[in-house]
Amino acid sequence: MRDPFQNPFPTSDPARHAIWDMLVTRDIDAFLAADWSLVAGDFVEDGFIGIDARRETSPDNWRLSFPSLAAYRDEWVRQAKDFARQSFAEDPRAAIFATTTLEDIEINADLALARKKFDGGLKKTDGSYDVMKWQTVYYCRLHHGRWKICGFTGYLPNPMGPRA
């Protein structure tokens, strides 16, 4: 059984290990703390781009919602603060880690493609269930000796649909 808190990449694979820590542990902890400063250093600001797939399989419906890191940061902070105001019937950190998988990171020279998936959700105190079922493809770059996010296509459906 998979330990959702355990980085699946060994320290002998330093690039993938670092990318997983950045995209899973630091991202989840910063989001739960609603503290952008904990992840601000994980991004390359120059040329950053974020695509919102709107949980749609057709790229015709995707939007360039985050043409800059500042635009993404503002939405990230808004979502984190909204999340912090909610009441859950279970430990949100444990539930988010259990929902999150990142086991596929492709590296080519100083660039990486990381596929982070969410499949589950959180039980709320009012008896409802906050569904987390999407995926994000992150574009990462080795920047000044450290792996950082330079863009993403997020809020993709999970799964994307039938394979041809």
Coordinates of all heavy atoms in Angstrom, one line a residue, residues 83 86-92 95-96 99 120-132:
F83 N -10.6 27.9 1.3 CA -10.5 26.5 1.9 C -10.4 26.6 3.4 O -11.0 25.8 4.1 CB -9.3 25.8 1.3 CG -9.2 24.4 1.7 CD1 -9.8 23.4 1.0 CD2 -8.4 24.0 2.8 CE1 -9.7 22.0 1.4 CE2 -8.3 22.7 3.2 CZ -8.9 21.7 2.5
Q86 N -13.5 26.7 5.6 CA -14.4 25.6 5.6 C -14.1 24.7 6.8 O -13.0 24.7 7.4 CB -14.2 24.8 4.3 CG -14.6 25.6 3.0 CD -14.4 24.9 1.8 OE1 -14.8 23.7 1.7 NE2 -13.8 25.5 0.8
S87 N -15.1 23.8 7.1 CA -15.0 22.9 8.2 C -15.0 21.5 7.8 O -16.0 21.1 7.1 CB -16.1 23.3 9.2 OG -16.0 22.4 10.3
F88 N -14.1 20.7 8.1 CA -14.0 19.3 7.6 C -14.1 18.3 8.8 O -13.7 18.6 9.9 CB -12.6 19.1 6.9 CG -12.5 20.0 5.7 CD1 -11.8 21.2 5.7 CD2 -13.1 19.6 4.5 CE1 -11.7 22.0 4.6 CE2 -13.0 20.4 3.4 CZ -12.3 21.6 3.5
A89 N -14.7 17.2 8.4 CA -14.9 16.1 9.4 C -13.7 15.2 9.5 O -13.8 14.1 10.1 CB -16.2 15.3 9.0
E90 N -12.7 15.5 8.8 CA -11.4 14.7 8.8 C -10.2 15.6 8.7 O -10.4 16.8 8.4 CB -11.4 13.6 7.7 CG -11.5 14.2 6.3 CD -11.6 13.2 5.2 OE1 -10.9 12.2 5.3 OE2 -12.4 13.4 4.3
D91 N -9.1 15.1 9.0 CA -7.9 15.9 8.9 C -7.6 16.3 7.4 O -7.3 15.4 6.6 CB -6.7 15.1 9.4 CG -5.3 15.8 9.2 OD1 -5.3 17.0 9.0 OD2 -4.3 15.1 9.3
P92 N -7.7 17.6 7.0 CA -7.6 17.9 5.6 C -6.2 17.6 5.1 O -6.1 17.2 3.9 CB -7.8 19.4 5.6 CG -8.4 19.8 6.9 CD -8.1 18.7 7.9
A95 N -6.1 13.9 4.3 CA -7.0 13.6 3.2 C -6.5 14.1 1.8 O -6.6 13.4 0.8 CB -8.4 14.2 3.4
I96 N -5.9 15.3 1.8 CA -5.3 15.8 0.6 C -4.1 14.9 0.2 O -4.0 14.6 -1.0 CB -4.9 17.3 0.7 CG1 -6.2 18.1 0.9 CG2 -4.2 17.7 -0.5 CD1 -6.0 19.6 1.2
T99 N -5.3 11.8 -1.4 CA -5.9 12.0 -2.7 C -4.9 12.3 -3.8 O -5.2 12.1 -4.9 CB -6.9 13.3 -2.5 OG1 -7.9 12.9 -1.6 CG2 -7.5 13.7 -3.8
G120 N -10.1 11.8 -5.1 CA -10.7 11.5 -3.8 C -11.5 12.8 -3.4 O -12.1 13.4 -4.2
G121 N -11.3 13.1 -2.1 CA -12.0 14.3 -1.6 C -11.9 14.4 -0.1 O -11.2 13.6 0.6
L122 N -12.7 15.3 0.5 CA -12.7 15.5 1.9 C -14.1 15.6 2.4 O -15.0 16.2 1.8 CB -12.0 16.9 2.2 CG -10.6 17.0 1.9 CD1 -10.4 17.8 0.7 CD2 -9.9 17.7 3.1
K123 N -14.3 14.9 3.6 CA -15.6 14.9 4.2 C -15.7 16.2 5.0 O -14.9 16.6 5.8 CB -15.8 13.8 5.2 CG -15.7 12.4 4.5 CD -15.7 11.3 5.5 CE -15.3 10.0 4.8 NZ -14.9 9.0 5.7
K124 N -16.9 16.9 4.8 CA -17.1 18.2 5.5 C -18.0 17.9 6.7 O -18.7 17.0 6.8 CB -17.8 19.2 4.5 CG -16.8 19.5 3.4 CD -17.5 20.4 2.4 CE -17.0 21.8 2.7 NZ -17.5 22.8 1.7
T125 N -18.0 18.8 7.7 CA -18.7 18.7 8.9 C -20.2 18.7 8.7 O -21.0 18.2 9.5 CB -18.3 19.7 10.0 OG1 -18.5 21.0 9.4 CG2 -16.9 19.5 10.5
D126 N -20.7 19.3 7.6 CA -22.1 19.4 7.3 C -22.6 18.2 6.6 O -23.8 18.1 6.2 CB -22.4 20.7 6.5 CG -21.8 20.6 5.1 OD1 -21.2 19.6 4.7 OD2 -22.0 21.7 4.3
G127 N -21.7 17.1 6.4 CA -22.1 15.9 5.8 C -21.9 15.8 4.3 O -22.0 14.8 3.7
S128 N -21.5 16.9 3.7 CA -21.2 16.9 2.3 C -19.8 16.5 2.0 O -19.0 16.2 3.0 CB -21.4 18.3 1.7 OG -20.5 19.3 2.2
Y129 N -19.4 16.3 0.8 CA -18.1 15.8 0.4 C -17.5 16.7 -0.7 O -18.2 17.0 -1.7 CB -18.3 14.4 -0.2 CG -17.1 13.6 -0.4 CD1 -16.3 13.1 0.6 CD2 -16.7 13.3 -1.7 CE1 -15.1 12.4 0.3 CE2 -15.5 12.6 -2.0 CZ -14.8 12.1 -1.0 OH -13.6 11.4 -1.2
D130 N -16.4 17.2 -0.4 CA -15.6 18.1 -1.3 C -14.8 17.2 -2.2 O -13.8 16.7 -1.9 CB -14.7 19.1 -0.5 CG -14.1 20.2 -1.4 OD1 -14.5 20.3 -2.6 OD2 -13.3 20.9 -0.8
V131 N -15.3 17.1 -3.5 CA -14.7 16.2 -4.4 C -13.4 16.8 -5.0 O -13.4 18.0 -5.4 CB -15.6 15.8 -5.6 CG1 -14.9 15.0 -6.7 CG2 -16.8 15.1 -5.1
M132 N -12.3 16.0 -5.0 CA -11.0 16.4 -5.6 C -10.7 15.4 -6.6 O -10.2 14.3 -6.3 CB -9.9 16.5 -4.5 CG -10.2 17.5 -3.4 SD -8.9 17.5 -2.2 CE -7.5 18.1 -3.2

